[in-house]
Amino acid sequence: MLKVGVLGAGHLGKIHLRLLQQSEKYELVGFYDENQENGAKIEKEFGYKQFHTIATLIHAVDVIDIVTPTLSHYKCAKVSIKSGKHVFIEKPISNTVAEAEEIIALAKEFNVKGQVGHVERFNPAFKAVKDQIKNPMFIETHRLAEFNPRGTDVPVVLDLMIHDIDAILSVVDSKVKNINASGVSVISDSPDIANARIEFENGCVANITSSRISMKNMRKSRFFQKDAYISVDYLDKVCEVVKMKDAPETPGDFDMILQNAEGMKKQIYYENPTVETNNAILDELESFADAIENNTTPVVTLEQGTNALRVAYQIIDCFKK
């Protein structure tokens, strides 16, 4: 079992602590939280060992799980990597692209592995259809959330939209060509609702909308490709695949047939892939343990986390223009 320590014991940090305690692939050594009073409460309530300095925790483990505010990701990752420890970093990887690129360089220099916590890659609905998403040419996503003061210290692009940016970049095998975006600040100093249109060199277009001031929660993506339409509901964890094939010469009574102006007939049929129940956060943490143990590439690499951050900042730059 890999010895692991958690940096940051806020809302998400406590979830990570609980799951790592349950995991059969990690031995939870303890945690460090900047707020020592909060740390003492957590130690007393849950029994996790509180460390009083980052250095002593890093020294005691093989893997550091960084669940601190984004502003401190770089500092925490740098000291961990220089100590030869593997790092799991919650999304976004860091506060700036320059910091993220230095994290990548350090991980290579000190020969350690890193993974970024883009948890929607492990959402069971996305996992069920990911292999069927092939060369999509139009993608539409909506990620809407009810207002929560937690997270309003960063633009909605870095808080919510970056989930969809990463998922899209993982299925579109092409470089970003152009980005247009607009954002509106309603209740925060930074945009609370944003829309971005990403154009790729291969002709694919992604239209992404994110809001943290909606009346209801929604996390849906739709992928359109030749002869197929694939929908993913990340919130309800359901997915649907609608495909087309050449219509049979003698259709059945219940076959759905479409005919275009040229007389070509296509049959529409539905697939509902099996969605396996899972805990996505536990899965991403344990997949990182597998990558370390087997010396394989992590599911969400530091480079991929940096690419998502780079696109996010290109979107934010559009607001300024």
Side-chain angles (χ1 to χ4, degrees):
M1 293 174 77
L2 290 163
K3 292 182 178 180
V4 64
V6 177
L7 294 182
H11 172 74
L12 190 55
K14 283 192 281 190
I15 294 172
H16 279 228
L17 283 165
R18 175 172 56 81
L19 294 172
L20 288 168
Q21 181 85 305
Q22 296 171 6
S23 174
E24 295 179 0
K25 300 192 176 188
Y26 289 103
E27 176 193 338
L28 177 61
V29 173
F31 73 96
Y32 169 83
D33 190 79
E34 198 170 56
N35 184 331
Q36 296 283 299
E37 195 176 324
N38 177 54
K41 283 181 185 175
I42 291 168
E43 182 177 46
K44 186 177 180 181
E45 185 176 353
F46 301 103
Y48 313 129
K49 183 180 178 183
Q50 179 187 16
F51 283 72
H52 296 285
T53 67
I54 292 177
T56 52
L57 177 61
I58 289 173
H59 182 71
V61 301
D62 308 306
V63 181
I64 286 290
D65 179 13
I66 300 169
V67 203
T68 59
T70 305
L71 283 171
S72 61
H73 283 187
Y74 167 71
K75 179 182 72 175
C76 294
K78 185 176 180 180
V79 68
S80 301
I81 293 169
K82 284 189 169 184
S83 301
K85 310 301 179 178
H86 305 290
V87 289
F88 182 96
I89 311 172
E90 251 313 316
K91 68 85 198 166
I93 180 173
S94 62
N95 191 48
T96 69
V97 173
E99 288 177 352
E101 288 174 339
E102 190 173 340
I103 290 171
I104 292 170
L106 283 168
K108 288 177 181 174
E109 181 183 347
F110 289 89
N111 195 30
V112 299
K113 291 189 182 296
Q115 181 165 320
V116 184
H118 284 287
V119 71
E120 293 291 37
R121 296 270 208 107
F122 296 83
N123 187 296
F126 183 69
K127 285 174 71 177
V129 296
K130 187 176 187 294
D131 290 343
Q132 295 195 56
I133 303 173
K134 295 175 181 174
N135 199 30
M137 295 310 291
F138 181 69
I139 302 167
E140 188 158 44
T141 77
H142 288 85
R143 185 170 295 264
L144 315 178
E146 295 174 1
F147 182 73
N148 183 341
R150 188 171 55 83
T152 54
D153 55 328
V154 295
V156 70
V157 176
L158 295 178
D159 184 28
L160 297 179
M161 188 182 282
I162 197 164
H163 282 294
D164 296 308
I165 294 169
D166 171 72
I168 288 166
L169 293 178
S170 76
V171 297
V172 179
D173 187 19
S174 180
K175 292 181 180 178
V176 172
K177 177 183 174 183
N178 189 45
I179 294 176
N180 290 291
S182 58
V184 180
S185 301
V186 178
I187 199 168
S188 315
D189 291 334
S190 60
D192 296 300
I193 184 166
N195 173 263
R197 176 186 167 92
I198 303 174
E199 298 173 14
F200 294 88
E201 289 181 356
N202 69 350
C204 176
V205 172
N207 190 29
I208 316 174
T209 301
S210 292
S211 167
R212 57 185 175 204
I213 51 167
S214 296
M215 300 301 289
K216 64 175 184 178
N217 293 322
M218 177 191 290
R219 303 206 306 259
K220 291 183 177 178
S221 289
R222 295 183 292 168
F223 303 87
F224 298 85
Q225 60 197 43
K226 185 168 177 58
D227 292 337
Y229 154 76
I230 299 166
S231 69
V232 177
D233 188 326
Y234 296 98
L235 194 59
D236 291 334
K237 297 178 174 58
V238 293
C239 55
E240 182 181 57
V241 179
V242 181
K243 289 187 174 180
M244 286 197 297
K245 60 183 179 182
D246 292 335
E249 286 191 22
T250 311
D253 292 340
F254 298 102
D255 288 348
M256 291 184 64
I257 307 297
L258 289 181
Q259 181 174 331
N260 66 13
E262 288 75 35
M264 184 183 293
K265 293 181 180 180
K266 291 279 188 178
Q267 179 183 350
I268 297 175
Y269 63 103
Y270 294 84
E271 291 179 6
N272 290 104
T274 302
V275 177
E276 305 286 348
T277 303
N278 76 335
N279 184 305
I281 296 176
L282 180 59
D283 274 10
E284 66 176 353
L285 290 166
E286 291 196 333
S287 79
F288 187 45
D290 291 339
I292 294 167
E293 294 284 12
N294 302 322
N295 194 26
T296 53
T297 303
V299 175
V300 186
T301 64
L302 298 175
E303 288 83 359
Q304 290 170 335
T306 301
N307 288 339
L309 185 68
R310 184 178 289 109
V311 172
Y313 270 115
Q314 287 174 315
I315 290 168
I316 291 168
D317 286 342
C318 289
F319 302 160
K320 297 171 186 174
K321 292 173 187 174

